[in-house]
Amino acid sequence: MRVLLVEDDPDVSETITCLLENFYSPVEIHHITDGDGFRKGTWRVGGWDLVILDLMMPGITGFEVCEKMRSLSATRKVPIIALTGYDTLQNEERIKAAGATGYLAKPFEVPKLLEEIKKVLVRS
Amino acid sequence: MSIRSRLASYIFLMTGFLVILGGILLIGGPLVLRAYQKSLDTMDALIDIRELRSIIQRQKTSLSRYLLIDEPQELLSFEESSDQAKKMLEIIKSKEGNRLTSWYTDISEDFHASMEMATRVTRLYKGGNRAKAYDEASGKLLPKFQVLLEKVLALESAKEDEAQQMYHFSRRISEKGILVVLGVLALAFLFGMVLFRSLYRAVMKPLQILRQGAEEFGKGHWDHRIDLTHKNEFGALAQSFNTMADNVKQLQLQAVHMDRMSAVGQLAGGVAHEINNPLTAVLGQAQILLAKIAETEPIHAQIKKIEQAALRCKKIVRGLLDFSRPGQASYEEIGVNDIVASTLDLCEADLKRARVLVEKHFAESLPKVEGSSSELQQVLLNIINNALQAMARGGTLTIETKSFFKTLSIPDRRQGVPPKVIEGSWVEVSLRDTGVGIAKEHLTRIFEPFFTTKEIGKGTGLGLSVSMGIVRKHGGDLTVESGGLNRGSTFRMTLPVRKTSGTNPMRASKGGMP
C-alpha cells in the first residue's frame, strides 16, 4: 500500500507510520511535513492508496492541500483522512467540503483510525 | 435647609417687602396729596381775600373822593366796587361751601352794615345835607370801613399762615414718606443681598464639589466619591452619584475579571492543542502495543494503564478545549450517574492516595439531562479536587444523586438582575466531604472568580467560578453549605431534566421531595 502522510509533528508521524507498518505491511509511506515539501510536487505522480492529512502545518493548511489534490486527475479520487487537534464542527464541515473522505480528532484512538482507514478504502 | 425651602423663603421675604412698600405708597400718597390740595385751596382763598381787601379799599377811596369833590364818577366807581365786593363775597361763600366759618359771617355782617351806612350817607349827601353826611362818614362810615379792612387784613395774614403751615406739613409728610420708602428699599436690598449670598453659597459650593467629583470620576479615578453631607437636594444628588460610581466600579471589576478569564481560556486552549500531538503518540503507541501483545502477558496490563492515563488526558484536554471555546461544547442527552462514575474513575488514584473513602448513593433510574459531558465532568473534577485538598488526612466523600420536582430560584450573578424562578424536574448531585470545611465569611465569596483560600500557586481561584459558569450555562445551579471550620462541606449541583425525558422524576427519585 502506498500512503501519503502530510503531517508536521514527528510524534504523530511516527505513530501513524508505526500503525501502518503494523497493520498494513508491506506499506510505502511518503512523508510531507510542510508547505515547501508540498510545493515540490513529488506527490503529483499519483498512485496513492491513502492520504493522511493534518490540518495545520507550517506554510500550508490541510484545506489547501485537499483542494489542490482534488483538482488534479492523479489524486482526484484518492481517499483522504483529515486529522486535527482543533476539533470543531466548522473544521470538519470545511475539510469535507474541500474533499476529505474521512475525519478524526487528535488524539485519535488506534482502533478508530483503523476503522476509518478500512471504511475509506472500502469506499474507494 | 433644602434649596426649595430657601428659594421659597427668598420669594416670600421679597414679596413681604413689596407689600410693605405698596402699603406705604397707598397710605402715604393720598395723605401727601390731600395736604397739597389743602394748601392750594388755602392759597386760592388767600387770593380771593386779597382781592376783596383791594375792592373794599377802592370802595373806601371812591366814597371818600365822592364826598370830598362831589364827582359822580366816583360814586359810580364806589357802586361798581360794591357790586364787585358782593360778588367776591359770594364767590368766597361758594368756595368755602359748608365750611363757612365765623370770620366770613363777621366780615359779611360788617360789610353789609357798612353798605347800609354808605347808602344812608350818600342819600344825605345827595339830599343836600352834606354837613351831616360828612359827620356821618368821618365819624362812623370811614372808621367802619377801616375796621372792615383791618379784619380782612387779619384774615389775610391768618390765611397766609395757614397756607404756609399746610405747605410745610405736606412737604414734611412727603419728605418723611420718601425717607421711609428709601429705608424699606435699603432694607429689602440688604435682606436680598444676604439671602442671595446664602442661596449662592448653598448652590454654588456643592455644585462645584459635584462638578469636580464628576470630572475626577470621568478621568478614570474609579475610587473617587463625592463627599457632600448636605441634607438637601445636592446631598441626595451626591448620594445617587456615589451609588452610580459604586456600580460602575463593580462593572469595571467584572470587566477585568472577564478579560482575565478570557485570557486564561485562550491560554488553556493553546496549551491543550499543543498537548494533543504528543498525546496522540502516547495513546497511539500504547494501543498499537496493546494490539500486538497478548492479554495474558504481564506487560499488557501495564500498557493498558498507559492507555487509560492517555485517555484521561484526552478527556481533560478535550474539556479544556471546550472551555476555551465556549458555546462549541457539544450538548447531548446524558446520564448524570455515568458522568459521576467516569469522573470517579479519572481520580481513582488520587482518592486512594489521599486515603479518601468514597460512598456512592446513586438513584437507580435518573432522568437524563441535556449537556456537555466533558463540561459537567470538569465541574465534578473541580469539586472532588477541592474535597481532596480539604481532606489532607483522609476522610469520606459521600456522593448522592437524586431527582425531584420543585420550584427553584436560580440567582443571576449580574447585579440587579432578578433570579430565574423555574418549576420543573431536577437532577441533583451532592458531594459531601469530611474535610476542613469553609468559614462562614468565605461561603458567599467561594464562587467569585480569583477567590481562593489556598496557598499561592496551589489554586487559581477560578475552579469554582468556572464550574458555576458551566452549571448556570446548563440552566442549573451550584450551591455550597458548610457547618463551619472542620465540619466538612457539601456542594450541590442541580441540573434541569430534559423535557422529552421519559422517566418520571417523582418515581425515579429515591428520596422523593427533599
Side-chain angles (χ1 to χ4, degrees):
Chain A
M1 183 162 80
R2 290 185 77 226
V3 178
L4 180 67
L5 176 60
V6 191
E7 164 69 61
D8 64 316
D9 189 86
D11 288 335
V12 179
S13 304
E14 215 172 295
T15 307
I16 293 170
T17 308
C18 183
L19 180 143
L20 291 170
E21 282 170 352
N22 270 287
F23 294 95
Y24 287 94
S25 188
V27 64
E28 182 200 331
I29 300 168
H30 184 74
H31 193 192
I32 293 173
T33 57
D34 53 22
D36 290 340
F38 183 74
R39 275 183 282 275
K40 277 181 192 160
T42 45
W43 55 274
R44 291 170 189 259
V45 290
W48 306 108
D49 296 307
L50 174 70
V51 178
I52 294 180
L53 173 65
D54 185 23
L55 289 192
M56 300 280 182
M57 286 162 293
I60 200 158
T61 68
F63 307 108
E64 292 169 71
V65 172
C66 207
E67 279 165 6
K68 189 78 194 164
M69 292 184 91
R70 288 299 182 230
S71 69
L72 296 177
S73 58
T75 50
R76 185 166 291 151
K77 285 184 178 168
V78 61
I80 301 175
I81 295 177
L83 297 176
T84 183
Y86 281 110
D87 172 30
T88 64
L89 200 63
Q90 289 99 307
N91 279 347
E92 185 179 348
E93 282 171 357
R94 203 176 144 199
I95 194 67
K96 281 189 173 165
T101 331
Y103 174 87
L104 269 184
K106 284 186 201 169
F108 55 83
E109 289 183 44
V110 172
K112 283 195 180 156
L113 181 58
L114 289 174
E115 198 183 311
E116 195 71 24
I117 292 172
K118 209 166 133 187
K119 213 156 71 184
V120 298
L121 287 180
V122 167
R123 226 183 285 169
S124 69
Chain B
M1 197 178 182
S2 73
I3 302 297
R4 210 168 103 172
S5 319
R6 268 175 209 268
L7 275 171
S9 59
Y10 185 80
I11 290 164
F12 183 75
L13 255 158
M14 284 297 121
T15 315
F17 275 118
L18 276 175
V19 168
I20 292 171
L21 214 61
I24 290 169
L25 290 175
L26 266 175
I27 297 165
L31 205 72
V32 173
L33 274 177
R34 256 205 315 278
Y36 269 110
Q37 188 60 49
K38 208 166 174 185
S39 86
L40 281 177
D41 288 349
T42 312
M43 292 294 273
D44 195 28
L46 184 64
I47 290 162
D48 291 343
I49 289 163
R50 271 187 187 152
E51 181 70 24
L52 183 67
R53 184 167 62 88
S54 95
I55 294 167
I56 293 172
Q57 187 65 51
R58 266 206 311 278
Q59 262 187 307
K60 185 189 162 198
T61 313
S62 302
L63 189 65
S64 304
R65 279 189 185 166
Y66 173 66
L67 292 177
L68 277 174
I69 55 171
D70 190 18
E71 175 59 57
Q73 192 61 40
E74 292 296 333
L75 184 64
L76 276 172
S77 165
F78 171 74
E79 281 166 356
E80 201 179 310
S81 302
S82 299
D83 286 345
Q84 280 177 352
K86 273 179 203 161
K87 272 182 195 158
M88 191 45 83
L89 274 168
E90 283 300 312
I91 287 168
I92 290 169
K93 190 184 171 184
S94 73
K95 275 187 185 167
E96 288 293 315
N98 299 334
R99 296 179 290 115
L100 275 179
T101 39
S102 55
W103 62 260
Y104 178 82
T105 326
D106 192 18
I107 287 172
S108 178
E109 277 172 4
D110 272 14
F111 176 78
H112 286 294
S114 304
M115 287 311 292
E116 273 172 29
M117 205 178 279
T119 312
R120 201 163 59 241
V121 168
T122 49
R123 206 179 293 141
L124 279 172
Y125 189 79
K126 280 179 188 166
N129 201 351
R130 291 195 172 182
K132 197 158 184 205
Y134 280 138
D135 284 348
E136 194 97 346
S138 59
K140 286 180 184 170
L141 182 58
L142 290 175
K144 188 93 179 161
F145 264 113
Q146 193 54 44
V147 168
L148 181 63
L149 275 171
E150 275 162 15
K151 275 186 181 171
V152 173
L153 196 65
L155 178 67
E156 195 183 305
S157 74
K159 277 284 172 190
E160 216 169 60
D161 284 349
E162 196 187 333
Q164 283 285 331
Q165 261 177 7
M166 285 322 288
Y167 173 73
H168 284 299
F169 172 74
S170 58
R171 198 174 152 175
R172 227 172 27 244
I173 288 250
S174 54
E175 273 170 5
K176 274 188 184 162
I178 286 167
L179 272 178
V180 171
V181 167
L182 281 177
V184 171
L185 275 176
L187 214 61
F189 181 72
L190 208 71
F191 264 99
M193 284 313 283
V194 169
L195 279 170
F196 179 74
R197 194 163 165 257
S198 104
L199 199 68
Y200 183 81
R201 287 175 68 162
V203 172
M204 289 316 285
K205 214 174 160 192
L207 207 61
Q208 202 179 1
I209 294 172
L210 278 167
R211 203 198 67 198
Q212 273 173 356
E215 274 175 5
E216 280 297 305
F217 195 78
K219 281 178 196 162
H221 299 139
W222 308 111
D223 288 317
H224 188 85
R225 294 291 178 274
I226 296 174
D227 184 19
L228 210 64
T229 47
H230 295 56
K231 285 196 166 36
N232 57 20
E233 290 86 338
F234 286 108
L237 187 61
Q239 210 176 353
S240 302
F241 180 89
N242 288 342
T243 311
M244 181 202 75
D246 287 344
N247 288 339
V248 169
K249 188 169 179 208
Q250 192 66 33
L251 276 173
Q252 197 249 351
L253 282 176
Q254 278 175 10
V256 169
H257 282 153
M258 297 273 280
D259 210 32
R260 285 170 78 175
M261 290 287 283
S262 139
V264 168
Q266 281 176 15
L267 198 68
V271 171
H273 183 246
E274 284 307 308
I275 288 172
N276 266 339
N277 284 333
L279 196 57
T280 304
V282 175
L283 184 63
Q285 297 289 3
Q287 286 177 336
I288 293 166
L289 276 175
L290 281 174
K292 285 169 80 175
I293 297 167
E295 273 184 43
T296 48
E297 295 274 335
I299 202 170
H300 190 278
Q302 281 164 300
I303 297 168
K304 191 80 188 165
K305 285 247 163 80
I306 297 176
E307 185 205 20
Q308 290 304 311
L311 284 172
R312 188 176 144 202
C313 284
K314 181 185 168 180
K315 279 190 177 175
I316 294 168
V317 168
R318 178 82 228 179
L320 268 173
L321 280 172
D322 283 347
F323 169 64
S324 70
R325 296 192 297 253
Q328 288 187 8
S330 54
Y331 273 49
E332 57 206 343
E333 209 175 61
I334 43 179
V336 172
N337 282 347
D338 299 340
I339 292 181
V340 177
S342 65
T343 312
L344 282 173
D345 289 347
L346 279 179
C347 34
E348 195 186 341
D350 293 330
L351 289 160
K352 273 184 190 160
R353 202 179 312 121
R355 282 170 292 150
V356 169
L357 186 73
V358 180
E359 274 187 28
K360 289 183 257 185
H361 301 284
F362 288 178
E364 271 171 22
S365 55
L366 272 184
K368 301 265 185 195
V369 299
E370 192 177 28
S372 152
S373 327
S374 59
E375 283 187 351
L376 294 177
Q377 211 168 39
Q378 189 187 344
V379 174
L380 292 168
L381 267 173
N382 265 323
I383 298 171
I384 293 172
N385 277 334
N386 281 342
L388 282 174
Q389 279 168 343
M391 296 186 286
R393 292 177 187 172
T396 307
L397 177 67
T398 312
I399 304 179
E400 192 185 351
T401 62
K402 62 179 176 184
S403 65
F404 52 84
F405 187 88
K406 200 186 178 186
T407 302
L408 279 189
S409 166
I410 296 173
D412 198 304
R413 274 201 279 186
R414 288 166 291 176
Q415 221 177 22
V417 180
K420 275 187 220 160
V421 179
I422 305 163
E423 187 192 66
S425 301
W426 306 85
V427 170
E428 182 190 276
V429 187
S430 66
L431 300 103
R432 189 170 74 243
D433 68 54
T434 55
V436 291
I438 302 160
K440 210 174 176 182
E441 65 269 26
H442 293 157
L443 273 179
T444 49
R445 302 196 56 203
I446 203 154
F447 296 111
E448 283 179 21
F450 304 102
F451 176 83
T452 181
T453 55
K454 295 171 193 165
E455 287 169 46
I456 293 170
K458 286 207 168 177
T460 55
L462 283 171
L464 286 175
S465 144
V466 169
S467 299
M468 176 64 95
I470 291 171
V471 178
R472 289 274 165 84
K473 201 170 81 177
H474 281 75
D477 198 15
L478 188 61
T479 58
V480 63
E481 54 201 65
S482 173
L485 282 178
N486 296 318
R487 291 193 172 182
S489 38
T490 307
F491 282 88
R492 285 178 208 283
M493 176 169 76
T494 319
L495 296 165
V497 170
R498 214 183 157 199
K499 278 190 180 131
T500 49
S501 185
T503 324
N504 183 340
M506 293 303 283
R507 262 185 291 166
S509 169
K510 245 183 164 178
M513 288 285 281

